Amino acid sequence: MLTTQSTYRIAITGPESTGKSELSRKLAEHYNSIWVPEYAREYLSQLNRGYRYEDILSIARGQVKLEEERIAGANKYLFCDTELLVCKIWSEEKFGKCDPWILEKLRTQHYDLYLLCNTDILWKPDPLRENPDDRNRLFNLYQKELQENDFPFEIIQGTGEKRVNSAIKAIEAHQFHNL
């Protein structure tokens, strides 16, 4: 189902170090629009301790709030670097459970298209990343969740400009209603 609003929400999702932030930025540039950065990076970089289960909920709420703040500035598309599916999978992987607020919001939020980033690019070390050897298994979890929830998605692969072009092709093929 497509929205009737003037802005289409596109979620860029997938495991760590699959190019979500770079892809979000480049798509926003290509479509002369804006993107919503990953709130977890800001939150965790300001945390003076290891993160806990309850921090995932704070991150999820912050991500949703940031997206709502930015949508008014979008030009046809709002590109969201991560979304609540990331929080759900991250929480379940790390803590074996997920806060009910995240699960409910995941059921009621709406994205017009999910771009699932494949693990075909090299892992880039980062102090906030935890799973360099488990990306393929996690990718399969994302794909399964998207399929089970009947979320519209396309798998994005390739490196560099091929990855960006793959995403552009997926967006163009999705046949959004003309605004």
PDB file of all heavy atoms in Angstrom, residues 12 18-27 35-38 41 81-82 117 129:
ATOM      1  N   ILE A  12      16.332   2.361   4.765  1.00  0.00           N
ATOM      2  CA  ILE A  12      17.556   1.673   4.371  1.00  0.00           C
ATOM      3  C   ILE A  12      17.920   0.789   5.556  1.00  0.00           C
ATOM      4  O   ILE A  12      18.213   1.289   6.642  1.00  0.00           O
ATOM      5  CB  ILE A  12      18.702   2.670   4.068  1.00  0.00           C
ATOM      6  CG1 ILE A  12      18.228   3.872   3.233  1.00  0.00           C
ATOM      7  CG2 ILE A  12      19.880   1.946   3.435  1.00  0.00           C
ATOM      8  CD1 ILE A  12      17.667   3.578   1.894  1.00  0.00           C
ATOM      9  N   THR A  18      26.990  -2.404   6.139  1.00  0.00           N
ATOM     10  CA  THR A  18      26.520  -2.767   4.795  1.00  0.00           C
ATOM     11  C   THR A  18      26.250  -1.520   3.954  1.00  0.00           C
ATOM     12  O   THR A  18      25.563  -1.598   2.935  1.00  0.00           O
ATOM     13  CB  THR A  18      25.263  -3.666   4.857  1.00  0.00           C
ATOM     14  OG1 THR A  18      24.260  -3.033   5.638  1.00  0.00           O
ATOM     15  CG2 THR A  18      25.593  -5.035   5.425  1.00  0.00           C
ATOM     16  N   GLY A  19      26.760  -0.387   4.411  1.00  0.00           N
ATOM     17  CA  GLY A  19      26.683   0.829   3.616  1.00  0.00           C
ATOM     18  C   GLY A  19      25.391   1.611   3.721  1.00  0.00           C
ATOM     19  O   GLY A  19      25.077   2.417   2.847  1.00  0.00           O
ATOM     20  N   LYS A  20      24.635   1.412   4.799  1.00  0.00           N
ATOM     21  CA  LYS A  20      23.336   2.085   4.933  1.00  0.00           C
ATOM     22  C   LYS A  20      23.465   3.603   4.984  1.00  0.00           C
ATOM     23  O   LYS A  20      22.720   4.307   4.299  1.00  0.00           O
ATOM     24  CB  LYS A  20      22.604   1.581   6.185  1.00  0.00           C
ATOM     25  CG  LYS A  20      22.229   0.113   6.134  1.00  0.00           C
ATOM     26  CD  LYS A  20      21.466  -0.349   7.349  1.00  0.00           C
ATOM     27  CE  LYS A  20      22.236  -0.277   8.638  1.00  0.00           C
ATOM     28  NZ  LYS A  20      23.346  -1.225   8.758  1.00  0.00           N
ATOM     29  N   SER A  21      24.393   4.101   5.773  1.00  0.00           N
ATOM     30  CA  SER A  21      24.530   5.560   5.916  1.00  0.00           C
ATOM     31  C   SER A  21      24.975   6.204   4.614  1.00  0.00           C
ATOM     32  O   SER A  21      24.405   7.209   4.179  1.00  0.00           O
ATOM     33  CB  SER A  21      25.524   5.896   7.030  1.00  0.00           C
ATOM     34  OG  SER A  21      25.054   5.422   8.263  1.00  0.00           O
ATOM     35  N   GLU A  22      25.974   5.619   3.984  1.00  0.00           N
ATOM     36  CA  GLU A  22      26.466   6.180   2.724  1.00  0.00           C
ATOM     37  C   GLU A  22      25.386   6.123   1.650  1.00  0.00           C
ATOM     38  O   GLU A  22      25.182   7.084   0.907  1.00  0.00           O
ATOM     39  CB  GLU A  22      27.709   5.417   2.262  1.00  0.00           C
ATOM     40  CG  GLU A  22      28.301   5.970   0.986  1.00  0.00           C
ATOM     41  CD  GLU A  22      29.575   5.255   0.566  1.00  0.00           C
ATOM     42  OE1 GLU A  22      30.097   4.421   1.322  1.00  0.00           O
ATOM     43  OE2 GLU A  22      30.035   5.552  -0.547  1.00  0.00           O
ATOM     44  N   LEU A  23      24.666   5.018   1.597  1.00  0.00           N
ATOM     45  CA  LEU A  23      23.598   4.884   0.606  1.00  0.00           C
ATOM     46  C   LEU A  23      22.491   5.899   0.872  1.00  0.00           C
ATOM     47  O   LEU A  23      21.994   6.546  -0.057  1.00  0.00           O
ATOM     48  CB  LEU A  23      23.041   3.458   0.616  1.00  0.00           C
ATOM     49  CG  LEU A  23      21.975   3.154  -0.427  1.00  0.00           C
ATOM     50  CD1 LEU A  23      22.499   3.378  -1.846  1.00  0.00           C
ATOM     51  CD2 LEU A  23      21.474   1.722  -0.253  1.00  0.00           C
ATOM     52  N   SER A  24      22.111   6.074   2.121  1.00  0.00           N
ATOM     53  CA  SER A  24      21.079   7.063   2.469  1.00  0.00           C
ATOM     54  C   SER A  24      21.483   8.458   2.013  1.00  0.00           C
ATOM     55  O   SER A  24      20.691   9.180   1.402  1.00  0.00           O
ATOM     56  CB  SER A  24      20.835   7.064   3.979  1.00  0.00           C
ATOM     57  OG  SER A  24      20.360   5.817   4.413  1.00  0.00           O
ATOM     58  N   ARG A  25      22.711   8.811   2.311  1.00  0.00           N
ATOM     59  CA  ARG A  25      23.230  10.140   1.938  1.00  0.00           C
ATOM     60  C   ARG A  25      23.241  10.315   0.420  1.00  0.00           C
ATOM     61  O   ARG A  25      22.789  11.335  -0.113  1.00  0.00           O
ATOM     62  CB  ARG A  25      24.627  10.327   2.526  1.00  0.00           C
ATOM     63  CG  ARG A  25      25.244  11.678   2.214  1.00  0.00           C
ATOM     64  CD  ARG A  25      26.649  11.833   2.807  1.00  0.00           C
ATOM     65  NE  ARG A  25      27.568  10.771   2.444  1.00  0.00           N
ATOM     66  CZ  ARG A  25      28.188  10.667   1.270  1.00  0.00           C
ATOM     67  NH1 ARG A  25      27.975  11.559   0.333  1.00  0.00           N
ATOM     68  NH2 ARG A  25      29.029   9.669   1.032  1.00  0.00           N
ATOM     69  N   LYS A  26      23.732   9.315  -0.289  1.00  0.00           N
ATOM     70  CA  LYS A  26      23.842   9.427  -1.748  1.00  0.00           C
ATOM     71  C   LYS A  26      22.474   9.438  -2.431  1.00  0.00           C
ATOM     72  O   LYS A  26      22.285  10.138  -3.427  1.00  0.00           O
ATOM     73  CB  LYS A  26      24.720   8.309  -2.303  1.00  0.00           C
ATOM     74  CG  LYS A  26      26.183   8.546  -1.982  1.00  0.00           C
ATOM     75  CD  LYS A  26      27.081   7.564  -2.684  1.00  0.00           C
ATOM     76  CE  LYS A  26      28.530   7.962  -2.411  1.00  0.00           C
ATOM     77  NZ  LYS A  26      29.460   7.163  -3.197  1.00  0.00           N
ATOM     78  N   LEU A  27      21.526   8.686  -1.896  1.00  0.00           N
ATOM     79  CA  LEU A  27      20.173   8.718  -2.464  1.00  0.00           C
ATOM     80  C   LEU A  27      19.516  10.079  -2.232  1.00  0.00           C
ATOM     81  O   LEU A  27      18.856  10.611  -3.125  1.00  0.00           O
ATOM     82  CB  LEU A  27      19.320   7.594  -1.876  1.00  0.00           C
ATOM     83  CG  LEU A  27      19.681   6.191  -2.356  1.00  0.00           C
ATOM     84  CD1 LEU A  27      18.914   5.143  -1.557  1.00  0.00           C
ATOM     85  CD2 LEU A  27      19.441   6.026  -3.851  1.00  0.00           C
ATOM     86  N   TRP A  35      17.976  12.991   4.292  1.00  0.00           N
ATOM     87  CA  TRP A  35      18.000  11.669   4.904  1.00  0.00           C
ATOM     88  C   TRP A  35      18.049  11.816   6.416  1.00  0.00           C
ATOM     89  O   TRP A  35      18.447  12.853   6.939  1.00  0.00           O
ATOM     90  CB  TRP A  35      19.160  10.833   4.377  1.00  0.00           C
ATOM     91  CG  TRP A  35      20.542  11.350   4.681  1.00  0.00           C
ATOM     92  CD1 TRP A  35      21.141  12.455   4.138  1.00  0.00           C
ATOM     93  CD2 TRP A  35      21.493  10.785   5.580  1.00  0.00           C
ATOM     94  NE1 TRP A  35      22.406  12.598   4.645  1.00  0.00           N
ATOM     95  CE2 TRP A  35      22.648  11.588   5.536  1.00  0.00           C
ATOM     96  CE3 TRP A  35      21.480   9.670   6.422  1.00  0.00           C
ATOM     97  CZ2 TRP A  35      23.780  11.311   6.301  1.00  0.00           C
ATOM     98  CZ3 TRP A  35      22.607   9.398   7.177  1.00  0.00           C
ATOM     99  CH2 TRP A  35      23.739  10.215   7.104  1.00  0.00           C
ATOM    100  N   VAL A  36      17.610  10.767   7.090  1.00  0.00           N
ATOM    101  CA  VAL A  36      17.585  10.724   8.546  1.00  0.00           C
ATOM    102  C   VAL A  36      18.756   9.849   8.987  1.00  0.00           C
ATOM    103  O   VAL A  36      18.780   8.661   8.664  1.00  0.00           O
ATOM    104  CB  VAL A  36      16.266  10.133   9.068  1.00  0.00           C
ATOM    105  CG1 VAL A  36      16.251  10.091  10.591  1.00  0.00           C
ATOM    106  CG2 VAL A  36      15.077  10.926   8.535  1.00  0.00           C
ATOM    107  N   PRO A  37      19.721  10.412   9.695  1.00  0.00           N
ATOM    108  CA  PRO A  37      20.861   9.597  10.130  1.00  0.00           C
ATOM    109  C   PRO A  37      20.461   8.591  11.209  1.00  0.00           C
ATOM    110  O   PRO A  37      19.391   8.687  11.812  1.00  0.00           O
ATOM    111  CB  PRO A  37      21.848  10.627  10.681  1.00  0.00           C
ATOM    112  CG  PRO A  37      21.034  11.804  11.033  1.00  0.00           C
ATOM    113  CD  PRO A  37      19.839  11.802  10.122  1.00  0.00           C
ATOM    114  N   GLU A  38      21.338   7.643  11.448  1.00  0.00           N
ATOM    115  CA  GLU A  38      21.125   6.621  12.462  1.00  0.00           C
ATOM    116  C   GLU A  38      21.271   7.241  13.846  1.00  0.00           C
ATOM    117  O   GLU A  38      22.361   7.630  14.259  1.00  0.00           O
ATOM    118  CB  GLU A  38      22.142   5.497  12.272  1.00  0.00           C
ATOM    119  CG  GLU A  38      22.004   4.377  13.247  1.00  0.00           C
ATOM    120  CD  GLU A  38      23.088   3.329  13.080  1.00  0.00           C
ATOM    121  OE1 GLU A  38      24.065   3.565  12.358  1.00  0.00           O
ATOM    122  OE2 GLU A  38      22.943   2.270  13.706  1.00  0.00           O
ATOM    123  N   ARG A  41      23.975   6.049  16.673  1.00  0.00           N
ATOM    124  CA  ARG A  41      25.367   6.536  16.684  1.00  0.00           C
ATOM    125  C   ARG A  41      25.505   7.736  17.627  1.00  0.00           C
ATOM    126  O   ARG A  41      26.428   7.797  18.421  1.00  0.00           O
ATOM    127  CB  ARG A  41      25.825   6.924  15.289  1.00  0.00           C
ATOM    128  CG  ARG A  41      25.993   5.737  14.402  1.00  0.00           C
ATOM    129  CD  ARG A  41      26.871   6.040  13.202  1.00  0.00           C
ATOM    130  NE  ARG A  41      27.452   4.794  12.760  1.00  0.00           N
ATOM    131  CZ  ARG A  41      28.554   4.248  13.248  1.00  0.00           C
ATOM    132  NH1 ARG A  41      29.225   4.843  14.182  1.00  0.00           N
ATOM    133  NH2 ARG A  41      28.988   3.101  12.803  1.00  0.00           N
ATOM    134  N   ASP A  81      18.076   6.140   7.372  1.00  0.00           N
ATOM    135  CA  ASP A  81      19.214   5.268   7.659  1.00  0.00           C
ATOM    136  C   ASP A  81      18.886   4.483   8.925  1.00  0.00           C
ATOM    137  O   ASP A  81      19.055   4.988  10.033  1.00  0.00           O
ATOM    138  CB  ASP A  81      20.479   6.106   7.842  1.00  0.00           C
ATOM    139  CG  ASP A  81      21.689   5.283   8.272  1.00  0.00           C
ATOM    140  OD1 ASP A  81      21.592   4.037   8.333  1.00  0.00           O
ATOM    141  OD2 ASP A  81      22.719   5.892   8.558  1.00  0.00           O
ATOM    142  N   THR A  82      18.416   3.297   8.740  1.00  0.00           N
ATOM    143  CA  THR A  82      17.908   2.377   9.760  1.00  0.00           C
ATOM    144  C   THR A  82      16.489   2.752  10.161  1.00  0.00           C
ATOM    145  O   THR A  82      16.000   3.845   9.837  1.00  0.00           O
ATOM    146  CB  THR A  82      18.785   2.251  11.028  1.00  0.00           C
ATOM    147  OG1 THR A  82      18.641   3.398  11.824  1.00  0.00           O
ATOM    148  CG2 THR A  82      20.234   2.014  10.698  1.00  0.00           C
ATOM    149  N   CYS A 117      20.193  -3.844   2.522  1.00  0.00           N
ATOM    150  CA  CYS A 117      21.579  -3.835   2.055  1.00  0.00           C
ATOM    151  C   CYS A 117      22.241  -5.188   2.291  1.00  0.00           C
ATOM    152  O   CYS A 117      22.285  -5.685   3.416  1.00  0.00           O
ATOM    153  CB  CYS A 117      22.362  -2.738   2.767  1.00  0.00           C
ATOM    154  SG  CYS A 117      21.802  -1.080   2.338  1.00  0.00           S
ATOM    155  N   ARG A 129      30.478  -1.050  16.232  1.00  0.00           N
ATOM    156  CA  ARG A 129      30.050  -2.269  15.541  1.00  0.00           C
ATOM    157  C   ARG A 129      30.502  -3.506  16.306  1.00  0.00           C
ATOM    158  O   ARG A 129      31.571  -3.510  16.901  1.00  0.00           O
ATOM    159  CB  ARG A 129      30.600  -2.289  14.115  1.00  0.00           C
ATOM    160  CG  ARG A 129      29.973  -1.195  13.275  1.00  0.00           C
ATOM    161  CD  ARG A 129      30.434  -1.242  11.852  1.00  0.00           C
ATOM    162  NE  ARG A 129      29.747  -0.207  11.098  1.00  0.00           N
ATOM    163  CZ  ARG A 129      30.267   0.436  10.077  1.00  0.00           C
ATOM    164  NH1 ARG A 129      31.479   0.139   9.658  1.00  0.00           N
ATOM    165  NH2 ARG A 129      29.580   1.366   9.458  1.00  0.00           N
TER     166      ARG A 129
END
